[in-house]
């Protein structure tokens, strides 16, 4: 487990950090205000936390752990802007920001400084602060959105099975999406409530984002073909 240090000018005056990158992450947690923008580039799916069993939303960047298929593609830039990517290495500790000093993001030369010479936050740190704040504030709203989906029985498991040109077969399990059929069966009053709350637009964004799964599979197959 990481040993965290509270970020402060006295201890970390010369600390530098690398620019955010999605690295080898294949599934990045997103919050409610990211669903529409992230869904324009990546599949948005739901997964259960292995420790708590609670659902959370995430942007899929690859088809298996350790395999990021978009990092070197045009979509690598929007992936690097996801809140949970921007804040990597930084955490909220009560009312302060803490860092994991052993995180690879800080093991760089020529990165961006964290503090200005006068002790103020640099633009890079302010970007991290915004991401942390949006994540922290967004989790509660996202949990409420997911709870609404579950209460309306809109969440369903998604079957993801692929065959690649090198003969590999890959099945991705444990992911959920929103059922088009269950959505179509909702009472008009419920649909109106979802529309007025903005959740209906988010639901359609999640459903529309599934088109990107085929693109991920194509990117992976192209890599296989290229050797």
């Amino acid at each position: 487990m990481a040993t965290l240090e509270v970020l402060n000018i006295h201890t970390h005056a010369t600390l530098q950090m690398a620019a955010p990158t999605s690295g080898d992450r294949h599934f990045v947690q997103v919050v409610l205000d990211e669903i529409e923008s992230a869904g324009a580039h990546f599949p948005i799916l739901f997964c259960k936390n292995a420790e708590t069993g609670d659902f959370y939303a995430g942007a899929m960047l690859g088809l298996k752990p350790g395999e990021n298929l978009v990092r070197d593609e045009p979509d690598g830039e929007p992936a690097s802007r996801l809140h949970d990517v921007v804040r990597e290495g930084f955490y909220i500790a009560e009312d302060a920001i803490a860092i994991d000093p052993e995180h690879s993001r800080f093991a760089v030369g020529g990165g961006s400084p964290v503090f200005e010479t006068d002790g103020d936050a640099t633009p890079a740190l302010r970007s991290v602060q915004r991401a942390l704040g949006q994540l922290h504030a967004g989790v509660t709203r996202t949990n409420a959105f997911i709870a609404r989906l579950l209460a309306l029985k809109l969440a369903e498991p998604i079957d993801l099975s692929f065959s690649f040109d090198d003969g590999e077969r890959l099945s991705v399990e444990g992911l959920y999406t929103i059922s088009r059929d269950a959505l179509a069966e909702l009472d008009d009053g419920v649909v109106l409530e979802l529309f007025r709350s903005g959740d209906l637009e988010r639901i359609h964004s999640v459903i529309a984002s599934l088109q990107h799964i085929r693109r991920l599979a194509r990117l992976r197959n192209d890599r296989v073909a290229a050797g």
Side-chain angles (χ1 to χ4, degrees):
M1 185 174 177
T3 300
L4 302 183
E5 297 177 356
V6 174
L7 184 67
N8 66 85
I9 182 62
H10 305 293
T11 307
H12 307 108
T14 61
L15 184 68
Q16 295 184 338
M17 62 176 174
T21 173
S22 55
D24 61 358
R25 298 180 66 176
H26 82 296
F27 196 78
V28 176
Q29 183 174 4
V30 297
V31 290
L32 207 61
D33 73 338
E34 297 180 282
I35 284 180
E36 293 174 52
S37 58
H41 300 276
F42 318 110
I44 303 298
L45 297 162
F46 302 96
C47 183
K48 288 185 178 181
N49 183 298
E51 295 180 359
T52 66
D54 294 332
F55 280 93
Y56 65 95
M60 177 183 267
L61 310 183
L63 301 181
K64 62 181 183 180
E67 181 184 76
N68 185 328
L69 296 168
V70 306
R71 181 180 55 207
D72 300 320
E73 299 293 325
D75 284 334
E77 183 177 350
S80 71
R81 295 197 299 266
L82 296 171
H83 299 332
D84 198 44
V85 172
V86 173
R87 70 95 202 157
E88 275 203 327
F90 294 82
Y91 304 85
I92 292 178
E94 296 182 354
D95 295 327
I97 293 178
I99 65 165
D100 171 9
E102 301 301 317
H103 194 281
S104 59
R105 186 170 189 181
F106 305 116
V108 295
S112 299
V114 173
F115 290 107
E116 304 282 10
T117 55
D118 61 3
D120 287 344
T122 61
L125 179 56
R126 288 199 296 270
S127 178
V128 170
Q129 290 171 329
R130 285 193 298 272
L132 281 169
Q134 288 167 322
L135 275 174
H136 184 70
V139 165
T140 299
R141 294 179 62 229
T142 309
N143 288 345
F145 172 68
I146 294 173
R148 193 169 299 123
L149 298 180
L150 296 174
L152 295 173
K153 296 181 170 49
L154 293 178
E156 67 176 4
I158 184 169
D159 178 22
L160 298 177
S161 299
F162 308 93
S163 297
F164 298 99
D165 288 349
D166 64 348
E168 181 184 8
R169 295 180 180 275
L170 178 63
S171 293
V172 183
E173 300 177 345
L175 296 175
Y176 296 75
T177 187
I178 295 173
S179 169
R180 295 172 185 265
D181 292 340
L183 181 63
E185 293 173 0
L186 291 178
D187 292 340
D188 291 349
V190 174
V191 174
L192 182 59
E193 289 177 6
L194 291 173
F195 171 76
R196 286 177 172 168
S197 69
D199 284 346
L200 187 61
E201 187 171 0
R202 299 180 185 104
I203 286 170
H204 284 303
S205 293
V206 170
I207 293 173
S209 76
L210 299 181
Q211 65 183 308
H212 299 302
I213 294 174
R214 293 191 297 273
R215 184 169 58 85
L216 290 179
R218 186 174 66 252
L219 286 171
R220 190 174 194 277
N221 204 54
D222 290 345
R223 291 191 182 186
V224 166

